[in-house]
Amino acid sequence: MGMKHLLITLLVIGPVLALASHAQAQTAKVIKVKGQQAIVQFPQGTSPQVGQQINLGGGGVSDSDGAPMAGLGSRKNSIGLGLNSLSFVNRSSKSNGVTTSTSVTGIALNGRYGWNTGRMEFGPIVRLEYSSADNSSTRFMGIGGFFDYNFNPNVSGQKIVYAGTGDLSFGQSGTKQGSFDSTSTVIALFLGGSIKWFGLSDSFAIRGDAGFSYDSSTPDSNSATTNVGAVVRAGIANYF
């Protein structure tokens, strides 16, 4: 239980507390205008560059009286879908003190909703997974949360964003081996790195993750089993 509580604190409660102390509106302020040229002041934490394009159709910018006006495109929120490839994963499992190595084939879908502060992104996830190993197959459904720390701020105009990422989910899995069925309570953790590419649109990202997964399952009548393996996954996300 101690490890479980620690993971929840780091991946769910931690980002929320960080948001309270660091979050700020990702908007820019026009401080001087001459014809079609203007001097624009960006908020702290952003990295404006010469030649950077500003999307004038995204909204989210206010005038001096606080009234909405056309302005920078926003990336404050996101909806994403990820696909995990479990093919050729060599997982090391430990149960009842015995360690075995297994080749796993399968896929997993992750749906997520996120809040973005520039440096940090976090939110809830829903995970569905199907995998097979040896003569057994496993289905998993769970919910949890994710957290990204962006090494360069994920703000309008950035084409590539690099991040450290992690997610934690809890749920139930069902395993079928021959005519025998069993259910387990599962805690699944992923830690790794991520790259987000906004090459097609300022609000649409293609995402790739690589890292390691760790999950612990507790069957109805047996001792816990832990699995560790390498995972590569890809996904898409729409920011608004």
Side-chain angles (χ1 to χ4, degrees):
M1 293 298 292
M3 180 179 179
K4 175 180 176 181
H5 291 161
L6 177 60
L7 292 176
I8 294 174
T9 301
L10 291 176
L11 295 181
V12 181
I13 300 177
V16 174
L17 294 178
L19 174 63
S21 60
H22 294 287
Q24 57 178 331
Q26 294 297 325
T27 60
K29 180 181 179 181
V30 177
I31 59 176
K32 188 176 181 179
V33 177
K34 183 178 181 180
Q36 295 299 109
Q37 297 181 334
I39 297 177
V40 180
Q41 181 180 27
F42 285 78
Q44 292 183 353
T46 60
S47 301
Q49 301 175 1
V50 175
Q52 177 178 341
Q53 297 184 10
I54 298 176
N55 180 8
L56 298 180
V61 176
S62 302
D63 62 17
S64 58
D65 295 324
M69 58 182 292
L72 291 173
S74 174
R75 292 185 186 175
K76 293 181 180 179
N77 306 90
S78 65
I79 296 178
L81 180 65
L83 176 66
N84 297 18
S85 173
L86 303 176
S87 300
F88 310 111
V89 171
N90 189 33
R91 281 191 167 178
S92 176
S93 302
K94 184 176 183 179
S95 180
N96 296 320
V98 178
T99 301
T100 58
S101 182
T102 306
S103 179
V104 178
T105 302
I107 60 173
L109 290 174
N110 290 292
R112 63 176 64 190
Y113 181 89
W115 291 274
N116 176 26
T117 71
R119 284 290 184 183
M120 297 176 293
E121 298 180 53
F122 55 91
I125 60 173
V126 176
R127 179 183 173 193
L128 302 174
E129 179 181 321
Y130 174 84
S131 60
S132 61
D134 297 331
N135 295 318
S136 66
S137 61
T138 301
R139 300 163 306 281
F140 171 78
M141 178 184 300
I143 60 174
F146 80 95
F147 176 61
D148 291 352
Y149 180 81
N150 298 320
F151 299 120
N152 54 315
N154 187 358
V155 295
S156 182
Q158 289 280 12
K159 294 295 185 182
I160 299 179
V161 178
Y162 300 94
T165 184
D167 59 62
L168 179 69
S169 56
F170 306 87
Q172 292 286 327
S173 69
T175 300
K176 183 177 180 62
Q177 188 167 13
S179 59
F180 179 74
D181 291 314
S182 63
T183 59
S184 303
T185 300
V186 178
I187 301 174
L189 172 68
F190 172 83
L191 293 174
S194 174
I195 180 172
K196 305 162 197 174
W197 181 62
F198 292 86
L200 302 178
S201 168
D202 192 62
S203 60
F204 179 81
I206 297 176
R207 174 183 179 128
D209 298 343
F212 292 91
S213 68
Y214 168 90
D215 61 72
S216 176
S217 60
T218 306
D220 293 337
S221 58
N222 300 315
S223 62
T225 299
T226 59
N227 298 284
V228 179
V231 175
V232 175
R233 59 191 190 185
I236 56 176
N238 183 60
Y239 286 77
F240 56 94

